Short mmCIF file of all heavy atoms in Angstrom, two decimals:
data_model
loop_
_atom_site.label_atom_id
_atom_site.label_comp_id
_atom_site.label_asym_id
_atom_site.label_seq_id
_atom_site.Cartn_x
_atom_site.Cartn_y
_atom_site.Cartn_z
N MET A 1 121.13 142.88 96.18
CA MET A 1 119.97 141.94 96.25
C MET A 1 119.06 142.23 97.50
O MET A 1 117.77 142.12 97.39
CB MET A 1 120.42 140.45 96.30
CG MET A 1 121.00 139.98 94.95
SD MET A 1 119.87 140.12 93.53
CE MET A 1 120.50 141.68 92.79
N GLN A 2 119.69 142.71 98.55
CA GLN A 2 118.84 143.19 99.68
C GLN A 2 118.02 144.34 99.32
O GLN A 2 116.77 144.30 99.63
CB GLN A 2 119.78 143.46 100.90
CG GLN A 2 118.94 143.90 102.15
CD GLN A 2 119.84 144.22 103.30
OE1 GLN A 2 121.00 144.63 103.11
NE2 GLN A 2 119.40 143.95 104.54
N GLY A 3 118.55 145.31 98.62
CA GLY A 3 117.90 146.47 98.25
C GLY A 3 116.78 146.16 97.21
O GLY A 3 115.61 146.70 97.28
N PHE A 4 117.14 145.28 96.30
CA PHE A 4 116.21 144.73 95.24
C PHE A 4 114.95 144.11 95.90
O PHE A 4 113.85 144.29 95.59
CB PHE A 4 116.87 143.90 94.29
CG PHE A 4 115.99 143.38 93.12
CD1 PHE A 4 115.36 144.21 92.22
CD2 PHE A 4 115.82 141.99 92.98
CE1 PHE A 4 114.58 143.77 91.23
CE2 PHE A 4 114.98 141.50 91.92
CZ PHE A 4 114.39 142.41 91.07
N GLY A 5 115.21 143.21 96.91
CA GLY A 5 114.18 142.48 97.64
C GLY A 5 113.26 143.43 98.32
O GLY A 5 112.01 143.26 98.41
N ILE A 6 113.87 144.53 99.00
CA ILE A 6 113.03 145.47 99.66
C ILE A 6 112.13 146.17 98.76
O ILE A 6 110.92 146.44 99.10
CB ILE A 6 113.94 146.42 100.47
CG1 ILE A 6 114.68 145.64 101.70
CG2 ILE A 6 113.17 147.59 101.00
CD1 ILE A 6 115.79 146.50 102.34
N ARG A 7 112.64 146.58 97.60
CA ARG A 7 111.77 147.25 96.64
C ARG A 7 110.63 146.40 96.17
O ARG A 7 109.47 146.82 96.09
CB ARG A 7 112.60 147.66 95.35
CG ARG A 7 113.60 148.78 95.57
CD ARG A 7 114.27 149.10 94.27
NE ARG A 7 115.40 149.97 94.40
CZ ARG A 7 115.28 151.32 94.50
NH1 ARG A 7 114.07 151.92 94.42
NH2 ARG A 7 116.41 152.13 94.70
N ILE A 8 110.86 145.13 95.96
CA ILE A 8 109.85 144.19 95.53
C ILE A 8 108.87 144.04 96.67
O ILE A 8 107.60 144.07 96.38
CB ILE A 8 110.45 142.84 95.15
CG1 ILE A 8 111.28 142.96 93.88
CG2 ILE A 8 109.37 141.85 95.07
CD1 ILE A 8 111.96 141.67 93.43
N ALA A 9 109.32 143.84 97.90
CA ALA A 9 108.42 143.53 98.99
C ALA A 9 107.49 144.75 99.28
O ALA A 9 106.29 144.62 99.38
CB ALA A 9 109.25 143.29 100.25
N LYS A 10 108.12 145.98 99.26
CA LYS A 10 107.26 147.18 99.47
C LYS A 10 106.19 147.34 98.43
O LYS A 10 105.09 147.62 98.59
CB LYS A 10 108.11 148.44 99.60
CG LYS A 10 108.92 148.56 100.85
CD LYS A 10 109.69 149.82 100.90
CE LYS A 10 110.36 150.00 102.30
NZ LYS A 10 111.17 151.21 102.38
N GLY A 11 106.68 147.19 97.15
CA GLY A 11 105.73 147.33 96.04
C GLY A 11 104.64 146.34 95.98
O GLY A 11 103.45 146.68 95.77
N LEU A 12 104.97 145.03 96.17
CA LEU A 12 104.00 144.00 96.23
C LEU A 12 103.01 144.12 97.34
O LEU A 12 101.77 143.92 97.12
CB LEU A 12 104.63 142.63 96.12
CG LEU A 12 105.32 142.26 94.80
CD1 LEU A 12 105.97 140.86 94.90
CD2 LEU A 12 104.25 142.21 93.56
N ASN A 13 103.50 144.42 98.42
CA ASN A 13 102.63 144.58 99.63
C ASN A 13 101.67 145.73 99.43
O ASN A 13 100.46 145.63 99.79
CB ASN A 13 103.52 144.93 100.95
CG ASN A 13 103.80 143.64 101.66
OD1 ASN A 13 103.10 142.59 101.51
ND2 ASN A 13 104.93 143.57 102.43
N ALA A 14 102.11 146.90 98.84
CA ALA A 14 101.21 147.98 98.63
C ALA A 14 100.25 147.49 97.58
O ALA A 14 98.98 147.87 97.75
CB ALA A 14 102.03 149.15 98.08
N MET A 15 100.59 146.79 96.52
CA MET A 15 99.63 146.36 95.50
C MET A 15 98.65 145.43 96.10
O MET A 15 97.43 145.47 95.74
CB MET A 15 100.44 145.73 94.39
CG MET A 15 99.60 145.35 93.15
SD MET A 15 99.09 143.66 93.32
CE MET A 15 100.59 142.71 93.07
N MET A 16 99.07 144.47 97.01
CA MET A 16 98.14 143.52 97.57
C MET A 16 97.35 144.07 98.77
O MET A 16 96.59 143.33 99.42
CB MET A 16 98.97 142.25 98.01
CG MET A 16 99.59 141.54 96.80
SD MET A 16 100.44 139.97 97.33
CE MET A 16 101.71 140.64 98.50
N HIS A 17 97.74 145.29 99.23
CA HIS A 17 97.00 145.88 100.40
C HIS A 17 97.24 144.96 101.70
O HIS A 17 96.29 144.75 102.39
CB HIS A 17 95.55 146.11 100.19
CG HIS A 17 95.24 146.88 98.91
ND1 HIS A 17 95.47 148.27 98.87
CD2 HIS A 17 94.71 146.55 97.77
CE1 HIS A 17 95.12 148.71 97.76
NE2 HIS A 17 94.68 147.73 97.00
N ARG A 18 98.47 144.66 101.91
CA ARG A 18 98.80 143.90 103.06
C ARG A 18 100.17 144.26 103.47
O ARG A 18 100.84 145.14 102.90
CB ARG A 18 98.66 142.40 102.85
CG ARG A 18 99.58 141.80 101.77
CD ARG A 18 99.32 140.37 101.61
NE ARG A 18 99.63 139.62 102.79
CZ ARG A 18 99.15 138.39 103.11
NH1 ARG A 18 98.31 137.83 102.27
NH2 ARG A 18 99.47 137.77 104.25
N SER A 19 100.69 143.64 104.63
CA SER A 19 102.04 143.87 105.06
C SER A 19 102.66 142.56 105.47
O SER A 19 101.99 141.50 105.47
CB SER A 19 102.07 144.85 106.30
OG SER A 19 101.30 144.26 107.33
N GLY A 20 103.93 142.57 105.74
CA GLY A 20 104.56 141.38 106.17
C GLY A 20 105.55 140.81 105.10
O GLY A 20 105.93 141.51 104.10
N ARG A 21 105.93 139.59 105.31
CA ARG A 21 106.98 138.92 104.50
C ARG A 21 106.51 138.72 103.09
O ARG A 21 105.28 138.34 102.80
CB ARG A 21 107.36 137.66 105.11
CG ARG A 21 108.48 136.85 104.46
CD ARG A 21 108.89 135.67 105.29
NE ARG A 21 107.84 134.74 105.39
CZ ARG A 21 107.61 133.73 104.70
NH1 ARG A 21 108.44 133.44 103.73
NH2 ARG A 21 106.53 132.93 104.88
N VAL A 22 107.35 139.01 102.09
CA VAL A 22 106.97 138.72 100.65
C VAL A 22 107.86 137.67 100.03
O VAL A 22 107.47 136.80 99.40
CB VAL A 22 107.14 140.05 99.85
CG1 VAL A 22 107.19 139.74 98.34
CG2 VAL A 22 105.96 140.99 100.17
N LEU A 23 109.22 137.81 100.39
CA LEU A 23 110.18 136.74 99.91
C LEU A 23 109.96 135.49 100.63
O LEU A 23 109.88 135.46 101.87
CB LEU A 23 111.64 137.29 100.04
CG LEU A 23 111.92 138.54 99.22
CD1 LEU A 23 113.49 138.93 99.43
CD2 LEU A 23 111.64 138.37 97.78
N GLY A 24 109.96 134.35 99.96
CA GLY A 24 109.71 133.12 100.52
C GLY A 24 110.96 132.59 101.31
O GLY A 24 110.99 131.70 102.12
N ASP A 25 112.13 133.02 100.83
CA ASP A 25 113.38 132.52 101.40
C ASP A 25 114.45 133.48 101.00
O ASP A 25 114.28 134.34 100.15
CB ASP A 25 113.66 131.04 100.83
CG ASP A 25 114.60 130.30 101.79
OD1 ASP A 25 115.22 130.83 102.62
OD2 ASP A 25 114.61 129.04 101.64
N ARG A 26 115.63 133.29 101.53
CA ARG A 26 116.79 134.18 100.98
C ARG A 26 117.13 133.70 99.61
O ARG A 26 116.88 132.65 99.24
CB ARG A 26 118.01 134.05 101.95
CG ARG A 26 118.56 132.66 102.10
CD ARG A 26 119.61 132.63 103.14
NE ARG A 26 120.85 131.85 102.82
CZ ARG A 26 122.02 132.22 103.11
NH1 ARG A 26 122.28 133.23 103.85
NH2 ARG A 26 123.01 131.47 102.68
N TYR A 27 117.76 134.67 98.89
CA TYR A 27 117.98 134.41 97.46
C TYR A 27 119.11 133.32 97.32
O TYR A 27 119.94 133.16 98.16
CB TYR A 27 118.40 135.65 96.75
CG TYR A 27 119.73 136.25 97.14
CD1 TYR A 27 120.96 135.83 96.52
CD2 TYR A 27 119.87 137.21 98.11
CE1 TYR A 27 122.17 136.33 96.85
CE2 TYR A 27 121.12 137.71 98.52
CZ TYR A 27 122.24 137.33 97.79
OH TYR A 27 123.40 137.82 98.17
N HIS A 28 119.04 132.63 96.22
CA HIS A 28 120.05 131.70 95.85
C HIS A 28 120.91 132.23 94.84
O HIS A 28 120.48 132.87 93.85
CB HIS A 28 119.36 130.36 95.36
CG HIS A 28 120.36 129.34 94.88
ND1 HIS A 28 120.86 129.27 93.57
CD2 HIS A 28 121.04 128.38 95.49
CE1 HIS A 28 121.70 128.25 93.44
NE2 HIS A 28 121.84 127.65 94.60
N ALA A 29 122.29 132.05 94.98
CA ALA A 29 123.25 132.55 93.99
C ALA A 29 124.24 131.56 93.63
O ALA A 29 124.77 130.88 94.38
CB ALA A 29 123.99 133.83 94.67
N HIS A 30 124.38 131.53 92.30
CA HIS A 30 125.47 130.57 91.76
C HIS A 30 126.44 131.36 90.86
O HIS A 30 125.99 131.94 89.85
CB HIS A 30 124.82 129.45 90.91
CG HIS A 30 125.76 128.60 90.20
ND1 HIS A 30 126.70 127.80 90.93
CD2 HIS A 30 126.00 128.34 88.83
CE1 HIS A 30 127.39 127.12 90.01
NE2 HIS A 30 126.98 127.40 88.81
N VAL A 31 127.64 131.51 91.28
CA VAL A 31 128.64 132.24 90.58
C VAL A 31 129.07 131.55 89.31
O VAL A 31 129.33 130.23 89.42
CB VAL A 31 129.90 132.53 91.47
CG1 VAL A 31 130.98 133.26 90.73
CG2 VAL A 31 129.53 133.16 92.75
N LEU A 32 129.09 132.12 88.20
CA LEU A 32 129.47 131.50 86.91
C LEU A 32 130.90 131.85 86.52
O LEU A 32 131.29 132.97 86.35
CB LEU A 32 128.47 132.01 85.74
CG LEU A 32 127.01 132.01 86.19
CD1 LEU A 32 126.17 132.69 85.12
CD2 LEU A 32 126.61 130.55 86.33
N ARG A 33 131.73 130.73 86.57
CA ARG A 33 133.22 130.96 86.42
C ARG A 33 133.72 130.54 85.09
O ARG A 33 134.90 130.74 84.80
CB ARG A 33 133.87 130.28 87.57
CG ARG A 33 133.51 130.83 88.93
CD ARG A 33 134.25 130.18 90.01
NE ARG A 33 133.91 130.74 91.36
CZ ARG A 33 134.58 131.78 91.94
NH1 ARG A 33 135.55 132.37 91.31
NH2 ARG A 33 134.23 132.16 93.17
N THR A 34 132.88 129.80 84.25
CA THR A 34 133.42 129.38 82.96
C THR A 34 132.45 129.73 81.88
O THR A 34 131.25 129.93 82.08
CB THR A 34 133.67 127.88 82.96
OG1 THR A 34 132.36 127.19 83.05
CG2 THR A 34 134.51 127.40 84.20
N PRO A 35 132.88 129.82 80.55
CA PRO A 35 131.98 130.06 79.44
C PRO A 35 130.82 129.03 79.36
O PRO A 35 129.70 129.38 79.08
CB PRO A 35 132.87 130.00 78.24
CG PRO A 35 134.26 130.37 78.78
CD PRO A 35 134.37 129.81 80.13
#
């Protein structure tokens, strides 16, 4: 997820012609343990 976030941040910053933070917060994860 860190690598995925970096790809998104670099790509979106290049598209928006800016730099800096792109993700608003750290990712939320919920492990699914039952059907």
